[in-house]
Amino acid sequence: MRVCGPRGRPFRPRRSAPGHNALLARVWMGEKGGGVLQRQLYLKNAAIMTATSLVLRAAGMVFRVYIAARIGAQGMGVYQLVTTVYALAVTLGTAGLSVAATRVCTDLMAGGRAGLVRGALRRMLALALCAGAAAGAVLFAGAGAAARWWLGDVRAAAALRILAPSLPFMALSACMRGYFMARRSVSQGARAQLLEQVVRIGVVAALLGRVPAGDTAAACMAVVAGNTVSEAVSWAYLAACCRRDARALPDGGAPAGLGRTLWGILAPIAANQYVSSALHTAENVLAPACLAVFLGSRDTALAQYGALKGMALPVLFFPFSLLGTLSALLMPEIAQAHVQNRRGALRRLVERVLLLTMTLSLLAGALFTLLARDIGQVLYQSDEIGFYLRILGPLAPFMYLESMVDGMLKGLNEQMSTFRYTVLDSCARIALTALLLPRAGMKGFLFVMLVSNLTTCLLNLHRLLYVTGVRFRLGKWLAGPAACAAASAAAAGLALGPLRTALPQAVWTVCAGAAAACAYGALLYLTGCVRRGDFATAGKAKK
């Protein structure tokens, strides 16, 4: 895109030295004129984001176990209903802001126009504030009606009102995180997330200690109050970091045509997220109602729904923290390679991401299948959670792959494709939910999840391969790692089986998982599924 100054004239850097602005762009983006330094920065960012994600996921998992123990499965069901409506409001207030900030700032820097970033960021923050405030006002005003007529549970109204003030802070934070991703500087966002989690845990623990046993409404209010307070604290920290960081740039005003550029990025992403969020909300409201028809009890239906959505699925997605970090980190790399038409670099990036995704996710699926019952008992003292994990374990690789491919497609400006697939998938899920759940209960819901995730994963993957020209290597990326994962899990189970009764269950579970992971890594190397250089960093993909 052609970027101009605030009055439509081409932007001129404040200094007259030739190449100053292009040099500033390279330094500001962490390249500093050398591929070695850029690669070091990439590795540093990857380490920071991976460590932060693991810490946050682990803390969140422990915290969720604590909450489930305090409020029970039925309370988790009510909490999931609250988060269903809240997720729709979050989408209304934040849809596309982070991606837009990353892409706009990346494009400006790649074109050597660092002086226009501050003006563009100010415009985007103003837009984020308006969107977040509007979404918060809608949520606060409509909380009572949504709880009574939509969720069918008036206990959710107060919790929704408490969540409403968090939306402006969340929208502003999303925009600033996108800026830092384009900046190739992830430490600020990592510290903000850690601070946010610490504040959330502290506030919720303090408030839950004062809630009477059995008071589900008050318990939900305590949990969501921690979310609102922590979002405000995280925004304050990010705002201070962003203000300090942006001062290093010259202020050349906002680029001409920024509104059209933002609209071109936000419109398809926002439409995608609005429609998909609305359809997901409808599905999440419909599912407990259909379960209640099958079970004859709404409380039992909420308990089963809360066990699956609020307890089993977060465990299933815990290993995704590694891949989620990679997805966020590679977004500007993929977008930049696409904008600069570096087809070779783009293909290498995609191939490495697909290989890493498949190898890690297949191991996770095998471990969940092997250790499902033990994980359910260790975390929740529940065989029901173990049953859900065992059923969904083989599906985990497709869930992970779908999320990774979706992120890459957005970096390639393929939002409309993901939008079409999401709408198709959500409509099919709603139809199948209404058809199967009243007749088959939770087994029907698990079948719906299986069909939905497989279909969406394959559609997104087909589009990614078509756009990038990458050929899917069935043996190296799927068949070989799947065989290695199955053999490793089976071998670990057989070898450590005699020790199951001799060791505490938690210790045996950790030992079995570690043994399977080590055997898996060795088998990948011995069979040639993974070779040295396969996971070389994106910093090498320069041409």
Side-chain angles (χ1 to χ4, degrees), residues 130-459:
C130 293
V138 170
L139 180 61
F140 188 88
R148 183 179 300 108
W149 304 111
W150 198 352
L151 301 181
D153 197 321
V154 295
R155 293 174 292 183
L160 290 173
R161 292 192 180 96
I162 292 174
L163 284 169
S166 70
L167 292 171
F169 301 120
M170 187 176 291
L172 291 168
S173 296
C175 192
M176 288 185 284
R177 286 192 177 98
Y179 161 80
F180 282 120
M181 286 304 302
R183 166 75 166 83
R184 271 54 163 198
S185 178
V186 301
S187 59
Q188 295 89 343
R191 288 193 292 267
Q193 287 180 307
L194 290 171
L195 177 62
E196 180 181 331
Q197 186 74 299
V198 169
V199 172
R200 177 182 290 114
I201 291 174
V203 172
V204 173
L207 294 178
L208 273 182
R210 303 182 180 182
V211 174
D215 192 341
T216 302
C220 287
M221 292 168 62
V223 173
V224 300
N227 184 84
T228 297
V229 174
S230 63
E231 288 292 346
V233 173
S234 176
W235 161 79
Y237 177 78
L238 276 176
C241 292
C242 189
R243 182 180 180 85
R244 182 171 58 251
D245 189 86
R247 285 177 178 172
L249 295 173
D251 190 358
L258 178 62
R260 291 190 299 273
T261 302
L262 285 175
W263 176 253
I265 298 173
L266 287 173
I269 295 178
N272 184 344
Q273 294 186 7
Y274 290 162
V275 174
S276 62
S277 183
L279 292 172
H280 288 160
T281 301
E283 175 199 340
N284 290 332
V285 172
L286 181 64
C290 292
L291 281 175
V293 173
F294 176 78
L295 297 169
S297 168
R298 180 170 176 80
D299 288 344
T300 305
L302 281 176
Q304 288 193 4
Y305 183 73
L308 175 63
K309 287 280 192 170
M311 299 161 75
L313 284 181
V315 174
L316 193 72
F317 269 92
F318 176 74
F320 185 73
S321 55
L322 292 170
L323 296 174
T325 296
L326 178 68
S327 177
L329 194 61
L330 285 179
M331 171 71 79
E333 304 291 336
I334 291 174
Q336 183 172 334
H338 175 64
V339 168
Q340 296 177 349
N341 199 30
R342 294 185 289 124
R343 303 292 296 178
L346 180 60
R347 282 194 296 271
R348 286 190 289 274
L349 282 169
V350 171
E351 288 172 354
R352 288 165 183 160
V353 171
L354 290 177
L355 174 60
L356 183 61
T357 300
M358 295 306 298
T359 52
L360 290 181
S361 62
L362 286 166
L363 173 63
L367 291 180
F368 279 123
T369 304
L370 171 68
L371 305 172
R373 178 180 175 276
D374 300 282
I375 294 174
Q377 283 293 330
V378 170
L379 293 180
Y380 298 107
Q381 296 77 50
S382 170
D383 288 333
E384 181 184 8
I385 302 300
F387 169 75
Y388 294 150
L389 292 176
R390 187 177 300 277
I391 296 298
L392 296 175
L395 187 61
F398 299 97
M399 292 181 173
Y400 295 2
L401 183 61
E402 177 191 345
S403 298
M404 292 295 291
V405 172
D406 180 80
M408 287 190 286
L409 285 174
K410 287 184 172 65
L412 295 171
N413 200 29
E414 288 289 326
Q415 297 92 335
M416 291 305 299
S417 297
T418 60
F419 173 64
R420 291 193 298 268
Y421 302 151
T422 300
V423 171
L424 176 64
D425 172 64
S426 296
C427 291
R429 286 175 69 105
I430 291 174
L432 289 174
T433 296
L435 179 65
L436 296 179
L437 266 65
R439 296 169 175 81
M442 188 55 72
K443 292 181 180 179
F445 193 44
L446 293 173
F447 177 77
V448 172
M449 293 181 63
L450 173 66
V451 173
S452 168
N453 282 280
L454 284 175
T455 303
T456 309
C457 176
L458 293 176
L459 287 173

Side-chain angles (χ1 to χ4, degrees), residues 29 86 102 153 168 187 287:
M29 291 179 72
Y86 181 57
T102 298
D153 197 321
S187 59

